[in-house]
Amino acid sequence: MIHSAKRYGLYLFSILAVILIFAAAFQIRGAAGTNEKNIPILCYHRVIPNPTSSYDLTPEQLEAHFQYFQSNGYTPITASQFLEYRKKPALFPQKPIVLTFDDGSKSHYTQVLPLLKKYGFKATFYIFTNAMKGSKERWLTWDEVQEISQAGMDIGSHTVSHPYLTARDKMNDEQYQAWLEKELAQSKKILEEKLKISVNTLAYPFGLYDNEVEAAAIRAGYKGMLSINMGLNQPRENPFRLKRRLMVNSMGPKSLTNILAEKVLDLEILSPADTNIVRAKPVIRFRTNTPAVNAVRLEISKYQATLKPDSQGIYNYEIPGKLRAGFQTIIIRGSDADKNSRLNSWSFYYKPGETTE
Ligand SMILES: [Zn+2]
């Protein structure tokens, strides 16, 4: 009797397994058949009852965002999952979104983790390892980071000391490279050893990067890097140049609707190249391969312009006035044939007047 019950159980199990395999196969095929994904990566900071900066959200505001994601069918995935799924885009859920929390504020343990658990969401936390040497009232402790990690959250690096990575100051080449390596490789190593996890991604402090910083991050072993340049991410995106939307506390459901509805404006950047260190004020040149975009809105620093392409299909923009030295981001917006709002951006580092080595 017991024997036959067991066999019966095994029989039921096999049927169930077959059903599950079919269901999975159909789901994968269904997802692959849909349009290319435009995946938002959102960048949050502290979550505290009395905000002192526009980057602080109240717990109620964050929960309103979570409710919005839930009722609009978004599935939060981590930055590590984004990297994993991009190799096989059929693995992406129908409406993926990546939630990231920067800096290691205490509130990530007291407010954010409980909310993530309540909604069954995943997120990535970017930690700079010196934070855990600071005040326990203000910053996470190692035990709390451990608990966040063990709750299934993804931990990424935000360097050792949260510096301006592009600021070389008075360091010579050798000193600068050694310093970059310390900030990038050491933070990864400390997090991996303390938490017994693999740290796959880096969020640039203040969103600052250039080609030397990027090269150093790749050498340090990161599989993905995130800026705070505006735009969405398609699975085929360069994983070393992922874009994130900086979240501020004035963003209600209406701004969420707009942000999440945006799509990638397909750009072919001609000049200045993304990440480049530029010595003379550049002429901005690019093409777009997005169909039916025939005029775009460009924004750099305090300048804005509506541009039409020349006879070669190239958009040209000469910055009419002075450009501040430092990190500069070019944002391009346009509408496609279906009136979708499309967006992309890239950055360069402007160091005027210095001679090229
Ligand atoms: Zn930060």
mmCIF file of all heavy atoms in Angstrom, residues 45 102-103 158 162 205-206, ligand 1:
data_model
loop_
_atom_site.group_PDB
_atom_site.id
_atom_site.type_symbol
_atom_site.label_atom_id
_atom_site.label_comp_id
_atom_site.label_asym_id
_atom_site.label_seq_id
_atom_site.Cartn_x
_atom_site.Cartn_y
_atom_site.Cartn_z
ATOM 1 N N HIS A 45 18.490 57.519 -2.503
ATOM 2 C CA HIS A 45 19.448 57.746 -1.428
ATOM 3 C C HIS A 45 18.789 57.468 -0.072
ATOM 4 O O HIS A 45 18.256 56.386 0.102
ATOM 5 C CB HIS A 45 20.047 59.149 -1.540
ATOM 6 C CG HIS A 45 21.010 59.277 -2.679
ATOM 7 N ND1 HIS A 45 20.613 59.534 -3.967
ATOM 8 C CD2 HIS A 45 22.355 59.135 -2.730
ATOM 9 C CE1 HIS A 45 21.682 59.565 -4.757
ATOM 10 N NE2 HIS A 45 22.749 59.324 -4.032
ATOM 11 N N ASP A 102 21.927 54.155 -2.810
ATOM 12 C CA ASP A 102 23.342 54.526 -2.701
ATOM 13 C C ASP A 102 23.729 54.970 -1.298
ATOM 14 O O ASP A 102 22.931 55.599 -0.595
ATOM 15 C CB ASP A 102 23.646 55.689 -3.654
ATOM 16 C CG ASP A 102 23.824 55.226 -5.096
ATOM 17 O OD1 ASP A 102 23.384 54.113 -5.432
ATOM 18 O OD2 ASP A 102 24.407 55.996 -5.882
ATOM 19 N N ASP A 103 24.962 54.684 -0.958
ATOM 20 C CA ASP A 103 25.718 55.292 0.146
ATOM 21 C C ASP A 103 25.719 54.558 1.482
ATOM 22 O O ASP A 103 26.550 54.861 2.326
ATOM 23 C CB ASP A 103 25.305 56.758 0.421
ATOM 24 C CG ASP A 103 25.621 57.663 -0.769
ATOM 25 O OD1 ASP A 103 26.430 57.258 -1.618
ATOM 26 O OD2 ASP A 103 25.049 58.756 -0.842
ATOM 27 N N HIS A 158 30.603 51.147 -4.045
ATOM 28 C CA HIS A 158 30.480 52.590 -4.272
ATOM 29 C C HIS A 158 31.819 53.219 -3.851
ATOM 30 O O HIS A 158 31.837 54.317 -3.322
ATOM 31 C CB HIS A 158 29.315 53.100 -3.440
ATOM 32 C CG HIS A 158 28.701 54.383 -3.908
ATOM 33 N ND1 HIS A 158 28.630 54.764 -5.225
ATOM 34 C CD2 HIS A 158 28.118 55.406 -3.194
ATOM 35 C CE1 HIS A 158 28.032 55.955 -5.298
ATOM 36 N NE2 HIS A 158 27.721 56.354 -4.086
ATOM 37 N N HIS A 162 34.214 57.224 -1.308
ATOM 38 C CA HIS A 162 33.255 58.085 -1.996
ATOM 39 C C HIS A 162 33.891 59.380 -2.531
ATOM 40 O O HIS A 162 33.376 60.486 -2.295
ATOM 41 C CB HIS A 162 32.078 58.410 -1.069
ATOM 42 C CG HIS A 162 30.810 58.772 -1.787
ATOM 43 N ND1 HIS A 162 30.644 59.984 -2.448
ATOM 44 C CD2 HIS A 162 29.659 58.097 -1.986
ATOM 45 C CE1 HIS A 162 29.432 60.022 -2.977
ATOM 46 N NE2 HIS A 162 28.817 58.888 -2.725
ATOM 47 N N PRO A 205 30.677 57.252 -7.582
ATOM 48 C CA PRO A 205 30.251 58.327 -6.685
ATOM 49 C C PRO A 205 30.012 59.618 -7.485
ATOM 50 O O PRO A 205 30.807 59.949 -8.381
ATOM 51 C CB PRO A 205 31.449 58.488 -5.737
ATOM 52 C CG PRO A 205 32.135 57.159 -5.760
ATOM 53 C CD PRO A 205 31.953 56.644 -7.153
ATOM 54 N N PHE A 206 28.948 60.301 -7.182
ATOM 55 C CA PHE A 206 28.525 61.534 -7.882
ATOM 56 C C PHE A 206 28.319 61.303 -9.389
ATOM 57 O O PHE A 206 28.213 62.258 -10.154
ATOM 58 C CB PHE A 206 29.556 62.671 -7.688
ATOM 59 C CG PHE A 206 29.977 62.879 -6.258
ATOM 60 C CD1 PHE A 206 31.203 62.393 -5.792
ATOM 61 C CD2 PHE A 206 29.139 63.531 -5.365
ATOM 62 C CE1 PHE A 206 31.580 62.569 -4.461
ATOM 63 C CE2 PHE A 206 29.520 63.717 -4.038
ATOM 64 C CZ PHE A 206 30.746 63.230 -3.597
HETATM 65 ZN ZN ZN B 1 26.992 58.218 -3.412
#
